[in-house]
Structures are given as structure tokens and as C-alpha cells.
Amino acid sequence: MNTVAPVRGKWDKVEFYTSYFLLLVLISFIGTRLAFAVVWQLPTIDFVISVIAMLLLLASFWFGRHSRRWRLWTIGFATATQIVPMVIREPVLLFPLIGALIPIAILVGCLMALSKKDTNASPPTGS
């Protein structure tokens, strides 16, 4: 039986490299936070979920090689472990986060529009 491996398109490459970049950013952020835990006391629950998030982020380089779902869930979990405890302790921080959703929603809308764009369509001839 001859099976043909799917060809990775341009959009898949963008998503692949972007998700790995986000993983690296989260690793550096959470790693810095855990390093500061040596100097300043971090609440126990924050420390535990940050360690779990760090382990998942490191594991996602292996398990997420071929699984977009694994990478995206890991990015979402690691982000939530940093934001949720902060907002629970200081609810006023929810307002800037809600304000930050506006450009994120615009970005997601643009990315969805780009992902649905027909790749076979030729660009319009300009003036």
C-alpha cells in the first residue's frame, strides 16, 4: 500500500513556527518567574501550577511535533496558569485583560480570514 504524506502548506508552516515561538516565550516567562521564586516567595499553588506548566511546555517540544492540538492546548494551559491566579487575587487586573482582547480578536479574525483565503486565486491586477 502506497501512502502519500500530506504536503505542508504555507499556512501550516506559519502556525507551526508561531506555536513553537509561543512555547519558547512561555518557557522564558515561566522560567523567569520560577527563578524569582528563589528570591521572593511565590504562593504554593502558583509554584505548583507553574512547575506543571513548565514540564508540559518542555514536553510539548517532543509530543507536539506532529500534533497541533497538543501544542495549542499546552500554550493555552500555560497562559492560563499565569493569568488566572493573578486575576483571582487582584480582580481589577481583569479590565486591562478585557481591553487586550480587542486587538487579539482583530488578529484572530484576520488569521481566520487568511486561513480561508483561496490559494489558487490570482491577485487582482492593480492600477
Side-chain angles (χ1 to χ4, degrees):
M1 177 180 258
N2 187 5
T3 60
V4 177
V7 177
R8 191 173 269 207
K10 289 180 183 180
W11 179 251
D12 288 339
K13 288 181 183 178
V14 169
E15 182 275 327
F16 181 79
Y17 291 115
T18 303
S19 63
Y20 273 104
F21 177 75
L22 284 172
L23 290 172
L24 288 173
V25 168
L26 284 167
I27 284 173
S28 65
F29 178 80
I30 296 173
T32 303
R33 188 167 185 217
L34 290 173
F36 280 131
V38 175
V39 179
W40 294 290
Q41 185 176 2
L42 191 63
T44 306
I45 189 71
D46 287 8
F47 182 77
V48 170
I49 60 176
S50 291
V51 168
I52 291 170
M54 180 63 87
L55 293 173
L56 281 174
L57 286 168
L58 293 172
S60 67
F61 283 102
W62 178 259
F63 294 114
R65 289 178 300 159
H66 302 293
S67 173
R68 175 186 306 174
R69 180 177 292 158
W70 175 271
R71 287 190 308 268
L72 294 179
W73 275 105
T74 303
I75 290 168
F77 175 76
T79 303
T81 62
Q82 304 308 303
I83 292 175
V84 171
M86 177 178 64
V87 171
I88 289 174
R89 278 189 214 91
E90 297 291 333
V92 73
L93 295 175
L94 191 59
F95 293 117
L97 290 173
I98 291 172
L101 285 177
I102 295 168
I104 290 172
I106 293 169
L107 176 68
V108 167
C110 292
L111 290 175
M112 287 175 44
L114 284 172
S115 70
K116 295 177 190 286
K117 183 179 176 185
D118 186 15
T119 56
N120 294 331
S122 61
T125 56
S127 54

